[in-house]
């Protein structure tokens, strides 16, 4: 399936691809960045295909299309891994590792590795982190040692750096993740950011006594008089409530949100008080309309939540993403130059790209197509994860190549949808998309 394209758009305007799903075949479609080499007459208005309408309605009726922020990246099939070497005492995490993958590589039990390192199945690990593979788990009383040293009212504070996760910080300091949550008033869905201070032991933070001295306590008053607060990077509902001197329940009630609601920088919250003013409309991260098409509210809402999660998370640079796509293609038996052509066309290697149709990441894959890709590779893929996103896109390319009569038809299937191409043939904009992919492939060849 496809959407009509604006003949007035130029190549200088970056655009996020729009992707939809078709039934019964699961297919992809996205915005073609290529333009015809010569001026073409204005295309005649074309009705939205019935298959596209059905797909959008089906996606709008589907719940759970937002991928949880704490989802654990899955691992590659065992058949693609080398034989396990001798088990070392410690292992340094490299790009793309997961706990289950590390355990499988050394023929270890995943739960045993988690327990040995005081991790949970939802803990995120990061490159450079040291993981124990042998030995015994540290004694539980160890975290209570700092308070016994005499400075019982002083907590140890850790400054978050790029790539950190709460689980990783807890493991690094040998304390339970639940304690990190408790000491910092956080939970499993809280988002942390570089520069943020995290308590890694009980007691009060060293800087806490200094806070009342400058008497900044009255600061929340002006905010209360305006009735709104603009969310900044790293904010959580609980931290906002604490900073402004209001209860968390009152803040959630005033904004009709709950503890699992995803908030994002730039969003405005109503501050409970007698002089409340409406928070007003906030500009969404992802619009609901694109090139004349209006997408279902449920789909756009999911797209905005996924965009907020990606904006608040560290992602590879475009150059790094290019390497990930190429490596994934080689591993899966697909031409790297072809996979790179798709990735550049779809998003320009931008892992934070999300379209109004909820097409996610570098390869612009919607959740329903991501499920199909998961079935193709035999494991659950998390489209917010850059490695899984590349895997999903390459898996779909590989499937289209295997089931299409020729390369052009396979490329068209990624854009217009395989079923739509077989029934209606290639639309004019699909032909331009195919030509653009082949031209890009030559540059990567």
């Amino acid at each position: 399936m496809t959407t009509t394209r604006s003949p007035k758009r130029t190549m200088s305007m970056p655009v996020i691809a729009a992707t939809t799903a078709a039934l019964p075949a699961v297919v992809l479609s996205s915005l073609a960045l290529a333009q015809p080499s010569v001026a073409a007459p204005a295309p005649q208005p074309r009705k939205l295909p019935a298959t596209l309408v059905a797909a959008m309605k089906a996606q709008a009726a589907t719940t759970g299309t937002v991928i949880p922020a704490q989802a654990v990246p899955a691992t590659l099939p065992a058949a693609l891994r080398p034989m396990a070497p001798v088990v070392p005492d410690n292992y340094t995490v490299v790009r793309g590792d997961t706990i289950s993958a590390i355990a499988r590589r050394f023929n270890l039990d995943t739960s045993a590795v988690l327990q040995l390192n005081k991790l949970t199945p939802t803990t995120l690990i990061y490159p450079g982190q040291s993981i124990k593979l042998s030995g015994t788990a540290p004694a539980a009383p160890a975290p209570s040692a700092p308070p016994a040293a005499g400075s019982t009212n002083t907590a140890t504070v850790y400054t978050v750096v790029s790539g950190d996760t709460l689980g990783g910080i807890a493991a690094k300091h040998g304390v339970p993740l639940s304690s990190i949550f408790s000491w910092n008033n956080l939970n499993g869905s809280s988002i942390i950011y570089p520069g943020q201070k995290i308590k890694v032991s009980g007691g009060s933070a060293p800087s806490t006594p200094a806070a009342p001295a400058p008497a900044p306590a009255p600061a929340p008053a002006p905010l209360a008089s305006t009735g709104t607060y603009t969310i900044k990077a790293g904010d959580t509902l609980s931290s906002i409530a604490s900073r402004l001197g209001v209860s968390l329940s009152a803040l959630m009630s005033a904004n009709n949100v709950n503890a699992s609601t995803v908030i994002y920088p730039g969003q405005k919250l109503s501050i409970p008080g007698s002089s409340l003013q409406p928070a007003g409309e906030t500009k969404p991260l992802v619009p609901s309309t694109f090139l004349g098409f209006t997408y279902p509210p449920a789909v756009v809402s999911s797209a905005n939540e996924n965009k907020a999660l990606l904006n608040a998370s560290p992602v590879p640079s475009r150059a790094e993403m290019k390497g990930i796509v190429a490596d994934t293609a080689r591993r899966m038996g697909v031409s790297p130059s072809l996979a790179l052509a798709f990735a550049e066309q779809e998003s320009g290697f931008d892992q934070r790209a999300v379209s109004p149709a909820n097409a996610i990441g570098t390869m612009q894959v919607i959740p329903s197509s991501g499920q199909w890709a998961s079935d193709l590779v035999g494991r659950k893929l998390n489209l917010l994860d850059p490695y899984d996103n590349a895997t999903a896109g390459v898996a779909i390319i590989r499937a289209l190549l295997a089931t299409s009569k020729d390369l052009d038809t396979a490329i068209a299937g990624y854009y217009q949808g395989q079923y739509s191409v077989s029934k209606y043939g290639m639309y004019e904009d699909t032909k331009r998309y195919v030509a653009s992919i082949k031209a890009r492939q030559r540059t990567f060849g």
Side-chain angles (χ1 to χ4, degrees):
M1 293 156 295
T2 185
T3 57
T4 55
R5 297 294 177 271
S6 170
K8 297 181 180 179
R9 194 179 69 256
T10 64
M11 286 293 288
S12 62
M13 299 175 61
V15 182
I16 296 176
T19 310
T20 55
L23 300 176
V26 184
V27 294
L28 290 177
S29 168
S30 62
L31 172 65
L33 297 182
Q35 299 299 311
S37 57
V38 295
Q44 293 298 318
R46 190 165 68 233
K47 283 188 175 181
L48 194 65
T51 50
L52 177 54
V53 174
M56 291 195 299
K57 287 182 178 179
Q59 189 178 358
T62 302
T63 58
T65 57
V66 178
I67 301 169
Q70 66 271 30
V72 179
T75 181
L76 290 171
L80 299 179
R81 298 190 174 281
M83 296 184 65
V86 178
V87 180
D89 293 334
N90 293 280
Y91 173 81
T92 301
V93 177
V94 298
R95 188 180 68 177
D97 273 340
T98 65
I99 290 296
S100 59
I102 296 170
R104 184 176 302 173
R105 186 179 307 155
F106 295 102
N107 293 323
L108 300 174
D109 181 67
T110 300
S111 59
V113 176
L114 291 172
Q115 184 177 9
L116 184 62
N117 292 275
K118 290 188 175 182
L119 305 176
T120 69
T122 58
T123 301
L124 295 178
I125 58 177
Y126 54 91
Q129 181 178 353
S130 180
I131 299 295
K132 294 181 181 178
L133 298 182
S134 63
T136 56
S144 61
S151 55
T152 56
N153 292 327
T154 302
T156 303
V157 175
Y158 173 79
T159 302
V160 177
V161 298
S162 179
D164 272 343
T165 64
L166 291 173
I169 294 171
K172 186 183 300 182
H173 292 86
V175 297
L177 180 59
S178 58
S179 296
I180 295 289
F181 287 158
S182 175
W183 294 331
N184 296 276
N185 196 23
L186 302 174
N187 56 50
S189 62
S190 297
I191 295 173
I192 59 176
Y193 57 94
Q196 182 178 355
K197 303 291 185 181
I198 298 293
K199 292 182 185 179
V200 293
S201 69
S204 304
S207 59
T208 302
L223 289 172
S225 65
T226 64
T228 64
Y229 173 79
T230 302
I231 296 173
K232 303 177 182 64
D235 275 343
T236 63
L237 290 173
S238 58
S239 68
I240 294 170
S242 175
R243 189 181 311 145
L244 301 181
V246 299
S247 69
L248 178 58
S249 59
L251 182 64
M252 290 192 295
S253 176
N255 292 277
N256 194 27
V257 298
N258 55 51
S260 62
T261 300
V262 175
I263 59 176
Y264 52 89
Q267 182 181 355
K268 293 185 181 296
L269 294 178
S270 296
I271 308 304
S274 58
S275 59
L276 259 184
Q277 298 293 329
E281 294 291 329
T282 46
K283 185 178 180 180
L285 296 173
V286 180
S288 60
T289 59
F290 188 70
L291 294 177
F293 292 100
T294 299
Y295 293 86
V299 175
V300 177
S301 175
S302 295
N304 273 279
E305 293 193 41
N306 285 323
K307 179 69 172 178
L309 287 171
L310 286 170
N311 283 353
S313 304
V315 299
S317 66
R318 292 174 190 261
E320 290 170 334
M321 202 66 229
K322 182 177 176 181
I324 291 172
V325 172
D327 291 344
T328 302
R330 292 188 191 95
R331 188 171 61 245
M332 298 180 67
V334 173
S335 167
S337 62
L338 180 60
L340 289 170
F342 274 105
E344 184 179 59
Q345 178 80 22
E346 292 293 329
S347 68
F349 303 107
D350 182 6
Q351 178 57 18
R352 285 199 172 104
V354 180
S355 80
N358 201 21
I360 300 167
T362 302
M363 303 305 292
Q364 287 290 277
V365 183
I366 61 174
S368 57
S369 295
Q371 181 56 57
W372 177 43
S374 296
D375 295 338
L376 289 173
V377 300
R379 65 185 180 90
K380 182 66 177 175
L381 297 174
N382 173 7
L383 299 179
L384 297 181
D385 179 274
Y387 299 93
D388 280 3
N389 191 280
T391 298
V394 173
I396 292 169
I397 294 170
R398 184 173 63 179
L400 290 170
L401 290 171
T403 56
S404 300
K405 63 180 182 180
D406 53 36
L407 177 61
D408 285 13
T409 305
I411 295 173
Y414 198 99
Y415 173 77
Q416 182 179 324
Q418 194 175 46
Y419 174 77
S420 177
V421 172
S422 66
K423 186 171 182 178
Y424 305 107
M426 294 186 201
Y427 296 135
E428 289 304 314
D429 51 346
T430 303
K431 294 176 182 177
R432 293 195 297 270
Y433 180 88
V434 172
S436 177
I437 291 292
K438 295 174 76 173
R440 291 175 189 276
Q441 183 181 11
R442 287 191 292 271
T443 67
F444 290 116

